[in-house]
Amino acid sequence: DGGITQSPKYLFRKEGQNVTLSCEQNLNHDAMYWYRQDPGQGLRLIYYSQIVNDFQKGDIAEGYSVSREKKESFPLTVTSAQKNPTAFYLCASSIADLPVEQYFGPGTRLTVT
Amino acid sequence: KQEVTQIPAALSVPEGENLVLNCSFTDSAIYNLQWFRQDPGKGLTSLLLIQSSQREQTSGRLNASLDKSSGRSTLYIAASQPGDSATYLCAVTPETSGSRLTFGEGTQLTVNP
């Protein structure tokens, strides 16, 4: 089955620790995205990647970092510099950096205490 | 800067009722508008995508309309069912953004049996 997987589903960390969220897709999509969702709010774009070895900041990139070494993988690191890291994180992909449909993973809920 | 607003924030209806969810956006220069469904703690499922040149799209009991010039879209759900209970999000792709989506905050729908 083609799709996007995110792991883990739930993640708990202590304040001050970096944590990496996994996102893998087997849709052969060039573009991938990371969004953050807070309760009662829409999604906000953190980072996106149009192609392997390239990525751009979204609207709320501060305190986050990404890499895109393989087409199918786009991990997100939440660093200790992110002031309010507790949130629901969603990964998405699309066939290209074009205005086409985006496909979303099931999300990772990160709780930092 | 593009802003997307969804009204109402929450809606509770009895089963069988026809209902309308509203989405408005401030800049009419968009490629398309998408409606998504999100179940609690889950990722997003794309329901309908309307290109800027289209007026409406239909899928089963769902009908989405787009009035680009006035910056409005509606999602019509016919004969609502308890299984329709979810949060519905709309998102636009601004013409200046390639593939980047701007999301509304969502409408939380509850259909009571």
Side-chain angles (χ1 to χ4, degrees), chain B residues 41-55:
Chain B
K42 301 289 176 70
L44 274 64
T45 301
S46 180
L47 297 173
L48 292 163
L49 184 152
I50 312 176
Q51 302 293 352
S52 61
S53 58
Q54 296 176 315
R55 296 286 290 183

Side-chain angles (χ1 to χ4, degrees), chain A residues 3-39:
Chain A
I4 302 176
T5 57
Q6 292 186 242
S7 61
K9 186 174 176 65
Y10 299 97
L11 192 53
F12 298 89
R13 281 294 183 270
K14 295 290 188 184
E15 193 173 322
Q17 293 179 333
N18 291 354
V19 59
T20 298
L21 282 60
S22 168
C23 176
E24 303 277 332
Q25 55 97 1
N26 61 4
L27 299 168
N28 200 32
H29 285 173
D30 280 323
M32 297 186 74
Y33 314 83
W34 273 106
Y35 294 91
R36 169 184 172 135
Q37 186 177 33
D38 293 285

Side-chain angles (χ1 to χ4, degrees), chain A residues 32-88:
Chain A
M32 297 186 74
Y33 314 83
W34 273 106
Y35 294 91
R36 169 184 172 135
Q37 186 177 33
D38 293 285
Q41 297 191 29
L43 280 65
R44 292 182 290 169
L45 183 66
I46 305 172
Y47 268 97
Y48 66 105
S49 169
Q50 298 165 304
I51 201 166
V52 174
N53 293 323
D54 183 61
F55 48 83
Q56 287 79 40
K57 293 180 179 179
D59 299 318
I60 54 165
E62 185 175 351
Y64 299 97
S65 66
V66 294
S67 64
R68 186 84 186 277
E69 297 176 1
K70 298 187 295 183
K71 186 175 185 177
E72 58 270 24
S73 179
F74 190 40
L76 173 74
T77 297
V78 184
T79 75
S80 56
Q82 167 51 231
K83 291 181 172 49
N84 296 296
T86 295
F88 189 51

